[in-house]
Amino acid sequence: IFVIGDRVLPFGAGDVSFIAANQVHLARSAPGTISRWTWIYLDLPRLLPAARDVNRDMILPAAQHPRVASLVAQMIEEARCEYSDSCEMLRALAWQLSLEIA
C-alpha cells in the first residue's frame, strides 16, 4: 500500500506513482514480499515551463496505463545512461509523460 496524506492506495508491480514534492507519504510492501523502487524527481515547471502542472498524487496501474508505465521505464533506463544527449532525451520523455497524464 501507499499512504499519501490521509489516503491509503494499493499498488502492484510496474505501477507508477506520482507524489507532490511536499506531500507526506509512506510505501509498505505486503508481508513476506520484497519491492524494488526507482524514484525520479521531476520538477516539471522548471523542466518544461509550457507543460501543464501535473502535481496530483496518484497511483497509475501499469495494466491500465501501459503507455505511462513504458515512458517511465524509458526514463529510468535513460537516466542510467551516461552520454551527452541523455538530458535532452529525458526532457522529451518527460514532455510525453506530462501530456499522457494531463
Side-chain angles (χ1 to χ4, degrees):
I1 62 166
F2 243 117
V3 179
I4 304 173
D6 61 353
R7 297 180 303 152
V8 177
L9 304 169
F11 70 86
D15 291 357
V16 176
S17 59
F18 292 92
I19 303 168
N22 61 349
Q23 182 61 271
V24 176
H25 59 282
L26 170 74
R28 216 25 105 133
S29 298
T33 64
I34 297 173
S35 295
R36 288 189 291 169
W37 297 87
T38 302
W39 299 94
I40 299 174
Y41 176 76
L42 292 177
D43 185 350
L44 287 179
R46 182 172 171 226
L47 184 66
L48 305 164
R52 294 181 188 170
D53 186 7
V54 292
N55 274 338
R56 296 177 296 194
D57 302 320
M58 60 185 150
I59 307 287
L60 299 180
Q64 295 172 6
H65 302 276
R67 288 177 54 142
V68 169
S70 175
L71 286 167
V72 170
Q74 289 175 59
M75 291 178 78
I76 292 166
E77 184 177 332
E78 194 66 33
R80 290 181 175 146
C81 293
E82 294 183 20
Y83 58 89
S84 63
D85 293 334
S86 183
C87 187
E88 290 305 315
M89 182 61 82
L90 280 168
R91 191 173 311 232
L93 290 166
W95 178 258
Q96 284 183 274
L97 180 64
S98 68
L99 292 174
E100 190 66 37
I101 64 175

